[in-house]
Amino acid sequence: MTETTEVYSAHLPGFQETAFIKGHEEYQALHKRSLEDPDAFWAEQAEKYLSWQQKWEHVLEYDFPQGKISWFGGAKLNATYNCLDRHIDTIGEKTAYFWEGDDPNQSLSLTYKELYQKVNKAAAALKAKGLKKGDRVVIYMPMVPELAIAMLACARLGVIHSIVFGGFSAESLANRINDCGAKMVITADGSFRSGKTIPLKNAVDAALPNCPEVENVLVLDRCGLGLTLGENESWWHEVMADPDLPDYVEPEPMDAEDPLFILYTSGSTGKPKGVVHTHGGYLLYAAMTTRITFDLKDDEVFWCTADIGWITGHTYLVYGPLINGLTGLIFEGVPSYPGFDRFWQVVEKYQVSKFYTAPTVIRSVAKEGAAMVDKYDLSSLRLLGTVGEPINPEAWRWYYEHVGKSRCPIVDTWWQTETGGHMMTPLPGVHELKPGSCAQPFFGVDPVIIDPDTGEPARYPNQEGVLCIRKPWPGMARTVFGDHKRFIETYFSQVPGMYFTGDGAKYDEDGYFWIIGRIDDVINVSGHRLGTAEIESALVAHRDVAEAAVVGFPHPVKGQGIYAFVTLNTGVGKTDEIKKELVKMVRSEIGPVATPDVIQWADALPKTRSGKILRRMLQKIAAGDIKEMGDTTTIADPSVLEQLIKERVASTA
Ligand code: WTA
């Protein structure tokens, strides 16, 4: 396959002389050292990127079979001291954040000093509400500076934040609040999206009756909806204006291994897992990957378009840029409002140098035509990035030519919520660019392709297998909140002695990695990870549904769409009304992110004789790829399959 692969030079103007990593040789030497002597390598990085209150007793201790990983044990530091306090004397007047509203007429900026002052106030307010080290707070907010301020206020006190993306429903919110035992919820009355107001607080109101441990709710007045607050609920602006609040709160000294945050993510089975990241290793990995992958210089503006509610926003909008004292851009809106040229207008307005987004965004703007990009002056751009899903070569080329004008490298960063930061990515000035390949591992990362049949490493290039990681890296998750057994089972039991990613992948003759996609029942819709089991359980909650099977199918913009096969109870009519109810059901159980694109009625689902649903066949039907169904001998009743295929063909006829 690779002989037909296009290759773009690593040596784009401006990177050869100035890049942090100068060329492939230096990369290789450093990468080798990071694996051979991780203690020395990471101790050096830890000194370089972070300020420690107390040094570590050991650099790395680990035991994968027990899911035990410890970096910089015994060391003390605080995330916000590293993000803010230590910058005040030197770059206090520098812009920490530009903020651009959904409405193009709304914008503001915050200097490091202003951010520091606001975080201190907010920390004082949380402290006054009784929050202390180790407590959990759920944050459910729009993309406004207060979201970052709320996170940092928690981190200052050693309170563990758990952000729930605004696109999740009340039900999902309640599940997450209860799973982590949050004492407080920080939210807003609503959020603006494409000029419309979305009522966020309603979801909190619907969730809270089922969340007995929540003591306080803090509400930001974002949309002026004029809500009346209930008992134990207070307005953000009133709380922060309290004259009795001190201006300064001592940053809590945290052990390197103390949790910094919990972030929920979908797996192939059961409910979403609360992935736990730490103060020490995570912050170091966030800081280093931000600097190196994007080759960020101090005077550049960095725009990561991800919502802070996802890991990409945590690492590359908040912790990574702030630790490095960089200027970031928080954007509240969407790429299509007021027009499909919004992103490029914002790039021009803020003179963005480094731009990081998801392939789904590129596909959605590319389909509107290059004229939307061409009318802006994008000469400030020096590097582009992608994350979240494999990028198809057409989208890659469009991005490279129309946005980057064939002079900006594209870093296709492969990583996961669990990995904390980039795991594989081309580095600017180091790697040649192959559209669709995430190139080579970051420092400290030791990837291997495992043949699922033998459990042994792949023996030759282009052999597809399961991507595993052989050694720990500082940014990796430490546990699943409240369920360490699940952590071990999910990540360390499938291939003994290694971290199991759940992604299928291969490497080519040049040792470049290519991610093929999830091998488990996780689908990736517009870069959002969703478990098919979660969607199925929302569907079967409908009184008329007997059974449901959900699979992903190729979608031109979203990467993957959601395709649901639904079996109704005997005697129930297959109406469009029920389809609408099912869509509503999923939206209320999980959230709009999980809305099915297609629902196909199935009189029965294809199963093996032992009753296992044949998902691979359903995937083929969903994709419309029905000529070659593969081995159908295991199927209990072949007529079930024939019927589904017939109906699928009829639906597209
Ligand atoms: C997929 C997002 C191909 C992959 C940071 C992974 C990618 C899952 C890429 C994690 C990429 C992420 N190329 N696939 N560059 N980046 N993925 O936890 O399947 O939301 O396992 O983390 O997204 O999604 P998550």
Side-chain angles (χ1 to χ4, degrees):
M1 290 275 289
T2 46
E3 57 272 20
T4 56
T5 304
E6 305 154 70
V7 181
Y8 293 75
S9 168
H11 300 299
L12 291 159
F15 285 96
Q16 252 154 315
E17 304 78 27
T18 60
F20 287 114
I21 310 295
K22 292 187 180 54
H24 200 260
E25 248 172 61
E26 182 174 328
Y27 158 79
Q28 260 181 324
L30 267 179
H31 185 259
K32 189 161 175 267
R33 180 158 172 258
S34 73
L35 295 189
E36 286 176 359
D37 194 358
D39 280 29
F41 179 86
W42 287 110
E44 248 169 57
Q45 307 305 323
E47 299 275 9
K48 186 161 152 191
Y49 285 96
L50 295 173
S51 303
W52 302 83
Q53 246 169 303
Q54 186 179 300
K55 286 289 148 63
W56 43 89
E57 284 152 20
H58 65 257
V59 177
L60 168 64
E61 277 179 2
Y62 77 107
D63 176 357
F64 271 177
Q66 297 299 317
K68 277 197 191 140
I69 303 115
S70 165
W71 284 93
F72 310 108
K76 299 259 184 234
L77 80 168
N78 182 278
T80 63
Y81 179 84
N82 278 277
C83 290
L84 301 169
D85 302 45
R86 65 177 182 155
H87 298 321
I88 298 311
D89 289 341
T90 47
I91 53 164
E93 301 310 319
K94 181 174 176 174
T95 303
Y97 285 124
F98 289 115
W99 173 79
E100 168 87 3
D102 181 60
D103 175 346
N105 298 314
Q106 285 198 348
S107 60
L108 54 82
S109 66
L110 278 176
T111 64
Y112 268 90
K113 194 158 175 202
E114 287 165 336
L115 187 61
Y116 167 83
Q117 288 163 343
K118 285 179 190 292
V119 168
N120 269 285
K121 272 281 174 219
L126 299 191
K127 199 171 172 182
K129 297 271 182 207
L131 288 168
K132 56 179 189 324
K133 179 176 169 178
D135 287 343
R136 275 83 61 202
V137 165
V138 162
I139 304 177
Y140 186 64
M141 287 177 102
M143 282 283 280
V144 288
E146 287 81 357
L147 169 51
I149 293 166
M151 288 166 85
L152 293 164
C154 289
R156 194 163 185 87
L157 300 175
V159 167
I160 303 165
H161 57 73
S162 184
I163 304 185
V164 177
F165 172 59
F168 283 119
S169 67
E171 184 77 25
S172 295
L173 177 64
N175 289 339
R176 286 157 171 78
I177 292 171
N178 289 333
D179 188 81
C180 72
K183 277 191 174 167
M184 182 191 262
V185 176
I186 308 181
T187 187
D189 57 345
S191 68
F192 291 118
R193 199 181 153 83
S194 305
K196 292 193 258 330
T197 309
I198 298 168
L200 272 186
K201 175 69 169 28
N202 282 2
V204 177
D205 292 346
L208 285 188
N210 303 318
C211 304
E213 289 171 79
V214 173
E215 294 167 5
N216 287 291
V217 181
L218 202 52
V219 187
L220 180 78
D221 186 3
R222 170 67 191 115
C223 301
L225 300 181
L227 304 183
T228 310
L229 298 189
E231 218 183 311
N232 300 325
E233 298 186 335
S234 14
W235 288 111
W236 175 283
H237 60 274
E238 287 177 5
V239 170
M240 301 306 158
D242 181 348
D244 294 336
L245 281 186
D247 293 330
Y248 175 79
V249 176
E250 193 76 42
E252 185 73 29
M254 303 297 288
D255 193 280
E257 282 296 313
D258 279 336
L260 173 63
F261 65 85
I262 302 169
L263 191 55
Y264 285 85
T265 191
S266 295
S268 47
T269 53
K271 54 186 180 122
K273 301 182 279 279
V275 169
V276 175
H277 282 291
T278 58
H279 264 257
Y282 167 81
L283 290 178
L284 173 59
Y285 204 66
M288 185 175 178
T289 50
T290 301
R291 233 340 161 203
I292 303 293
T293 303
F294 302 111
D295 195 51
L296 271 159
K297 303 295 196 283
D298 288 341
D299 57 351
E300 292 185 315
V301 176
F302 178 48
W303 183 13
C304 162
T305 71
D307 194 287
I308 293 178
W310 304 110
I311 189 71
T312 308
H314 281 60
T315 306
Y316 298 110
L317 248 176
V318 181
Y319 291 113
L322 294 179
I323 291 171
N324 284 298
L326 297 164
T327 300
L329 171 66
I330 300 178
F331 176 51
E332 184 185 30
V334 296
S336 54
Y337 177 80
F340 273 95
D341 55 351
R342 184 70 190 279
F343 269 13
W344 321 123
Q345 184 209 333
V346 173
V347 167
E348 186 186 86
K349 177 172 173 186
Y350 294 97
Q351 294 287 295
V352 171
S353 307
K354 309 284 166 76
F355 176 74
Y356 189 36
T357 195
T360 183
V361 169
I362 298 159
R363 289 190 294 266
S364 74
V365 293
K367 72 179 175 18
E368 302 301 315
M372 287 289 193
V373 191
D374 293 343
K375 60 182 168 171
Y376 293 96
D377 174 8
L378 303 184
S379 56
S380 61
L381 285 175
R382 293 189 57 234
L383 173 145
L384 308 172
T386 71
V387 57
E389 45 172 330
I391 184 164
N392 49 311
E394 301 74 42
W396 194 100
R397 252 179 263 125
W398 190 90
Y399 196 28
Y400 186 77
E401 287 165 15
H402 294 288
V403 182
K405 315 291 181 205
S406 304
R407 56 170 185 79
C408 301
I410 296 181
V411 292
D412 177 350
T413 61
W414 172 82
W415 58 295
Q416 309 178 299
T417 303
E418 296 87 341
T419 72
H422 303 149
M423 295 295 280
M424 292 208 260
T425 175
L427 296 178
V430 169
H431 290 103
E432 291 182 320
L433 307 169
K434 301 187 189 189
S437 165
C438 57
Q440 293 192 308
F442 195 78
F443 303 111
V445 175
D446 186 13
V448 57
I449 304 291
I450 296 292
D451 177 340
D453 296 328
T454 62
E456 298 294 322
R459 277 166 296 126
Y460 46 87
N462 298 317
Q463 183 183 343
E464 293 184 8
V466 186
L467 177 59
C468 293
I469 314 291
R470 280 186 278 222
K471 292 201 173 75
W473 63 100
M476 75 189 298
R478 299 298 195 266
T479 191
V480 167
F481 189 81
D483 197 349
H484 194 68
K485 200 164 145 253
R486 196 168 170 205
F487 183 65
I488 298 173
E489 278 166 8
T490 312
Y491 305 110
F492 301 101
S493 305
Q494 322 254 4
V495 179
M498 298 185 194
Y499 169 82
F500 179 83
T501 67
D503 277 325
K506 60 179 187 179
Y507 59 82
D508 65 19
E509 291 81 359
D510 300 325
Y512 272 46
F513 283 81
W514 299 75
I515 305 296
I516 297 156
R518 301 289 305 189
I519 55 157
D520 53 11
D521 296 324
V522 170
I523 48 184
N524 194 325
V525 182
S526 301
H528 301 161
R529 235 168 105 170
L530 296 163
T532 52
E534 285 169 72
I535 307 173
E536 286 161 7
S537 80
L539 291 167
V540 297
H542 189 284
R543 65 186 179 284
D544 294 329
V545 172
E547 206 174 15
V550 169
V551 295
F553 71 102
H555 188 285
V557 173
K558 301 180 190 178
Q560 279 191 301
I562 300 173
Y563 200 111
F565 294 88
V566 175
T567 308
L568 294 171
N569 290 327
T570 311
V572 175
K574 298 166 182 163
T575 62
D576 284 347
E577 204 44 48
I578 301 187
K579 278 195 185 175
K580 277 191 205 134
E581 285 173 23
L582 288 175
V583 167
K584 219 167 124 193
M585 195 100 194
V586 174
R587 290 172 70 97
S588 83
E589 293 278 314
I590 306 172
V593 284
T595 308
D597 296 277
V598 183
I599 296 176
Q600 179 176 343
W601 299 126
D603 289 331
L605 296 171
K607 290 182 186 169
T608 59
R609 286 180 195 88
S610 59
K612 211 167 171 308
I613 294 175
L614 289 158
R615 286 175 182 279
R616 211 147 286 193
M617 292 184 185
L618 291 177
Q619 280 163 358
K620 282 183 171 271
I621 297 173
D625 173 18
I626 44 191
K627 279 191 215 85
E628 188 45 70
M629 290 308 288
D631 180 11
T632 54
T633 52
T634 51
I635 186 165
D637 178 0
S639 71
V640 166
L641 194 65
E642 283 154 26
Q643 181 68 17
L644 285 177
I645 294 174
K646 217 164 85 196
E647 284 167 6
R648 172 73 173 84
V649 172
S651 74
T652 49

